[in-house]
Each structure stands twice: as C-alpha cells, then as structure tokens.
Amino acid sequence: MQNKAVLTATGLWTPSQSISNEELVESYNAWASGWNAEHAAQIEREEATAKPLSSAEFIEKASGIKSRYVISKDPILDPNIMAPRIPEREDEELSLLAEMAVEAAKDALSRAGRESKDVDVILVACSNLQRPYPAISVEVQDALGMENGFGYDMNVACSSATFGLSTAQSMIASGQAKSVLVCNPEICSGHLNFRDRDSHFIFGDVATAILVEEESRVGNQGYDILGTKLKTKFSNNIRNNFGFLNRAAPEGEGNADKLFVQEGRKVFREVVPMVAGMILEHLAELNLATDQLKRMWLHQANLSMNQFIAKKVMGREVSAEDAPVILNEYANTSSAGSVIAFHKHNDDFVKGDIGLLCSFGAGYSAGSVFLRKR
Ligand code: CO8
C-alpha cells in the first residue's frame, strides 16, 4: 500500500520593497518619451520617435495587478538602468536565491513545528535558477544545517511548485522520503524586460515553501493530498532564450528574446480551456463533484483568466472567496503565486473541506493538486 502524503504547512518570504503601477509607469514613460536630454531633443527635432506610453489604468484593467514586490527597487525605476542591480556575492556567502528559499523554508518549518533535521529532501522548484551548479537545493540543504538527505533543482516555469508537490507526493508514496520541503524562490525581476511596454508590469519577486510529510508524522495537521495531475503541451507563446549557449552564438547576445517574451492574448485564449479542462478531468478521476470544491488557489497571472477558469470549473459566478486574488499586491510571481494564495487564504477551512491548488504557464505547463483539510 502507498504511504499517504500530507501538506503540513507553507512558508512565505516577501521582499521589503514594493513598486506601484504609478511608479513603474512614471519610469517607463520617462524612458519612452526621451530618457535623456539628447534623445528628447532628437524627438523634438523629429529625428527620433518617442515610444507609445504605458498607463497604470491599462495595467490594472488588463491584468488586475496594482503593485509588485522587488528585491532591487531603485535601479528598476531609474530610466538609465531599468533592471535590478544585485551585486555578486563571494562563493563563501549564501547565494541570493538560496537565501530567499531558506527564509521561506524556515517559515514553513516553524508553522509546522518542525526542525530541519526532520526533513529528508529539499526540492528547489522555480522558474529561473541563479546558476547551473552546485544545485541551489544542495546549498539550501547545507544552510538549513541538514546533515542527511539530498536535494535537487527543478524547473517547469510557473508550474514548478505543483510539479514539485507532485514529486514530493510520489517520494512519500514510494517510501523514498518521509518529509520533503519544496522551495520556490522567484526573482522574476531578473528576467523581465522593463523596457517592453507589453510586459514591463507583469512580474514580482518572492519565495514560498511547502512542507509535505508522510501521514504517520502529522497528527491532524494540514491537508491530505488527494491527487495530483500534471500536463504539458509545447508552445512558443511564452519564451525566454537566455541560456548557457548564448556565448556560443554571439550574434544573438543582448537581444530582447534573452528576457521574458510572450504573446499574452494567445496565452490567455489557449491556456484557459486547457486548464479548465484539466481540472474537470481531475475532479472526475477523483470522483469529486464541483460543489464539493470550496476554493481554487489558482496561479496568479491575470485576474480575468482566473475568473474564466474558476467560473468554468464551478459552473457559476465566482467571488474572491472562491478564487482568492493576491496578484493585485504581488503581481505574477510565477510558481509561487498559487502557493501565496493558499498561504494567505486557507485559515477558514474546517475538517473535510476540499480545495484545489493549480498552476499554469510557460511550456505550456499546468498542475492541479486537490487538498482536503484534516
Ligand atoms: N499601457 C498601455 N497600453 C498598453 C500597454 C501598456 N503597458 N501594453 C499594451 N498596451 C496596448 C496595446 O498596444 C494594445 O493596443 P491596440 O489595441 O491599440 O493594439 C492594447 O493595449 C491591448 O494589448 P494586449 O492585447 O497586449 O492586452 P491584453 O488585454 O491581452 O492584456 C496581458 C495583456 C495582461 C499580458 C494579458 O494578455 C495576459 O495577462 N495574458 C495572460 C498571460 C499569461 O498568463 N502569461 C503567463 C506568463 S507567466 C509564466 O508562465 C511564467 C514564465 C516564467 C517566469 C518568467 C519570469 C520573468
């Protein structure tokens, strides 16, 4: 018989600095309309053209985003830089991505009443890894003071956390581990093009962590993982061509495609039916009726996208209680978004209540995890 996996606790680390739509747009517009005196004079003499301006109203209406947390605010807002500035650290220092993961991990462990020695496996599952090796997860394992066990890194873009959860559940089920900590540190600002009007507002930085344990360790804490379902379908509509072979093709270096690019409309149109269909299939596979579903903690990319998906699954109009929103404050934090929604909006669950954690994004990739309060 398979061992049962329980999601015992989640953890959250939020950067101290935040950027409002208004601040971001002011910086973008300063750059777009002539970011230095010479460019402004060229525009004035009609020797150069100003770029179309961005607007805070458009951003909120099109996406639901009002602000985002970032690790390095001032350089992003400086029209001469418009990118984060994060100084390199010595090899002996903890790397930034590991540091964020450790903060979220400690939060999850303390909420669960556990110590790092109770953990067997660290998975760092996120959209962008700070370096190829040594694996960030192994650094996190070391920083948490874990003397045993192992760690590895995983990347399935926005679906990294749910794919990580699924891996954790399988490890528990097979007996390979009794306790798995899935960490999702996301420095999305590092690969966002703040000079692209179509996407400069989309992302924020954050870290989350999820502790998954074997049932016998848990008492009546947490949520039973009723089932996980994963889906991928290749698409170029969300893409980032940054990689280790860029230096081998210097003709492409510095191109905008080495940062995040997307066809937002196509993504919206194609991903909504894919995700709603997958959730309905998953419900049927678990013999659950839609009216048994109390809440959907959905990936946080776009407010209307979530409303469409939730309405299609629940078969009725939905409120923020049915599908909580955190992207107004955090923007899209890739794999961490649905975990933050869960973290902040599950306190009212009572024994037997069922909810769905669901991610979707680049790949395309989508993951659904049904949870039942113990
Ligand atoms: N200000 C004012 N006007 C604007 C702006 C702006 N900033 N941007 C565009 N416009 C204009 C356009 O020019 C266009 O004008 P016109 O109609 O005259 O041509 C009009 O507004 C409408 O433009 P769009 O069609 O582009 O606008 P949408 O209504 O489609 O909204 C969104 C754009 C918000 C991007 C929307 O399409 C969306 O959210 N789509 C879903 C995207 C999504 O879910 N993507 C998931 C990607 S994230 C992911 O998977 C993780 C990847 C890995 C992490 C990467 C971290 C960096």
Side-chain angles (χ1 to χ4, degrees):
M1 214 182 73
Q2 290 190 336
N3 300 319
K4 285 201 180 128
V6 174
L7 186 162
T8 326
T10 50
L12 173 65
W13 176 81
T14 304
S16 60
Q17 300 176 320
S18 156
I19 298 180
S20 68
N21 285 350
E22 288 72 19
E23 289 173 303
L24 194 69
V25 163
E26 190 187 334
S27 148
Y28 177 89
N29 287 350
W31 171 78
S33 50
W35 62 282
N36 63 18
E38 194 191 334
H39 187 208
Q42 284 171 344
I43 293 170
E44 184 76 28
R45 294 195 300 271
E46 296 183 359
E47 291 164 14
T49 48
K51 294 193 172 293
L53 300 185
S54 183
S55 103
E57 296 72 39
F58 168 85
I59 294 171
E60 190 177 338
K61 191 158 170 284
S63 68
I65 297 166
K66 296 182 186 172
S67 61
R68 69 284 297 143
Y69 292 98
V70 290
I71 279 156
S72 165
K73 174 171 176 170
D74 291 345
I76 289 173
L77 293 181
D78 182 340
N80 290 305
I81 305 174
M82 294 174 83
R85 285 288 177 261
I86 302 166
E88 271 194 356
R89 295 182 180 183
E90 298 294 329
D91 288 354
E92 290 67 33
E93 291 177 272
L94 192 62
S95 67
L96 178 59
L97 205 72
E99 182 179 292
M100 293 164 62
V102 165
E103 291 299 324
K106 284 182 176 167
D107 187 30
L109 288 172
S110 91
R111 285 169 195 271
R114 304 284 187 276
E115 293 177 43
S116 57
K117 66 173 169 48
D118 303 319
V119 179
D120 303 327
V121 181
I122 299 285
L123 299 177
V124 167
C126 61
S127 287
N128 274 267
L129 291 155
Q130 192 171 341
R131 58 163 190 266
Y133 46 82
I136 303 290
S137 51
V138 180
E139 192 182 4
V140 172
Q141 176 194 18
D142 184 62
L144 286 173
M146 286 167 59
E147 282 171 17
N148 299 312
F150 61 91
Y152 59 82
D153 298 345
M154 298 174 54
N155 177 359
V156 207
C158 289
S159 288
S160 298
T162 52
F163 277 56
L165 258 176
S166 178
T167 305
Q169 187 207 21
S170 304
M171 285 175 160
I172 304 272
S174 71
Q176 189 181 19
K178 287 196 180 307
S179 172
V180 182
L181 196 48
V182 184
C183 304
N184 326 106
E186 294 286 10
I187 311 179
C188 296
S189 61
H191 37 107
L192 180 54
N193 184 353
F194 287 95
R195 290 187 171 148
D196 173 32
R197 185 178 74 136
D198 290 349
S199 64
H200 75 118
F201 54 88
I202 290 182
F203 290 101
D205 304 332
V206 83
T208 52
I210 313 162
L211 182 65
V212 182
E213 295 179 291
E214 207 250 298
E215 189 183 29
S216 64
R217 289 199 167 189
V218 176
N220 56 9
Q221 252 174 312
Y223 288 79
D224 291 319
I225 298 180
L226 297 181
T228 66
K229 189 173 174 72
L230 311 178
K231 193 175 173 100
T232 53
K233 185 176 179 353
F234 185 70
S235 167
N236 275 322
N237 290 331
I238 311 168
R239 192 159 175 129
N240 182 337
N241 284 331
F242 179 77
F244 80 105
L245 284 180
N246 292 159
R247 67 190 281 271
E251 70 277 9
E253 260 181 314
N255 289 349
D257 73 344
K258 306 302 180 298
L259 295 167
F260 169 87
V261 278
Q262 74 165 353
E263 294 278 349
R265 277 274 155 103
K266 286 189 189 161
V267 173
F268 196 111
R269 234 183 8 249
E270 293 171 6
V271 168
V272 168
M274 171 179 148
V275 172
M278 181 182 80
I279 297 170
L280 289 169
E281 271 172 35
H282 199 187
L283 273 165
E285 283 162 17
L286 294 170
N287 287 319
L288 292 171
T290 46
D291 60 4
Q292 287 178 271
L293 186 57
K294 176 165 167 152
R295 188 158 299 156
M296 300 171 75
W297 300 287
L298 295 174
H299 175 52
Q300 304 282 314
N302 181 292
L303 183 56
S304 9
M305 206 168 175
N306 284 12
Q307 286 165 343
F308 271 109
I309 292 170
K311 194 173 161 189
K312 207 157 168 82
V313 171
M314 290 186 151
R316 57 175 171 78
E317 290 302 322
V318 290
S319 66
E321 208 170 306
D322 299 311
V325 182
I326 58 94
L327 97 158
N328 54 341
E329 181 185 346
Y330 282 82
N332 183 342
T333 49
S334 197
S335 70
S338 56
V339 184
I340 307 172
F342 170 84
H343 185 83
K344 288 185 173 269
H345 297 280
N346 78 84
D347 281 352
D348 58 328
F349 266 51
V350 296
K351 188 175 165 56
D353 283 348
I354 293 175
L356 167 75
L357 193 78
C358 180
S359 66
F360 38 89
Y364 296 133
S365 59
S368 92
V369 181
F370 279 95
L371 299 169
R372 184 180 57 213
K373 179 77 179 160
R374 288 167 67 81

